[in-house]
Amino acid sequence: MQTLFKQQSHTLSGGSVLSGVTEQHVILKVVSGRVWVTFEGQPEDHWLHAGRSLTLLPGRMVVVEADPGNSRISLSGLPQRGTPSILRALLARLRGPGFHPATSVS
């Protein structure tokens, strides 16, 4: 079994399996062939053929298996170094110094 999120594209021979956990939303697109995808927390599995895509949710184990024959998939939205800290800084600027999250009142 290979790790899914080490690179942005994979070519799979029939029956090969990739797996991994992503830290953010990732789009898995089938470039050629057909794959079976299942991920933690989803009751149903997904069969995707060339041209179809699926958003993988963060923090969940994902397993991708190629149908008989070769398949090629691409992944977009893979984490890049420094992105979370940049986003936090941007959100802090947008909220401003007087921002306080809403609280419930009983």
Side-chain angles (χ1 to χ4, degrees):
M1 187 178 304
Q2 296 179 20
T3 302
L4 182 59
F5 302 107
K6 294 247 182 200
Q7 56 195 52
Q8 292 187 341
S9 70
H10 297 271
T11 299
L12 307 164
S13 57
S16 357
V17 176
L18 296 171
S19 67
V21 176
T22 180
E23 295 175 4
Q24 68 181 41
H25 287 83
V26 171
I27 308 235
L28 180 147
K29 181 175 182 181
V30 180
V31 177
S32 64
R34 188 172 108 137
V35 298
W36 167 78
V37 182
T38 187
F39 52 96
E40 185 179 16
Q42 284 279 318
E44 65 276 345
D45 296 342
H46 305 273
W47 281 101
L48 302 175
H49 56 82
R52 301 291 296 196
S53 61
L54 179 67
T55 300
L56 307 178
L57 302 175
R60 298 183 183 184
M61 174 60 76
V62 178
V63 178
V64 179
E65 182 176 349
D67 204 21
N70 290 336
S71 297
R72 200 169 104 217
I73 61 169
S74 68
L75 302 166
S76 58
L78 289 175
Q80 296 178 1
R81 280 192 147 175
T83 302
S85 59
I86 292 169
L87 291 175
R88 278 194 296 273
L90 178 60
L91 287 172
R93 282 188 74 191
L94 291 173
R95 289 178 180 156
F99 175 79
H100 298 286
T103 57
S104 61
V105 178
S106 302

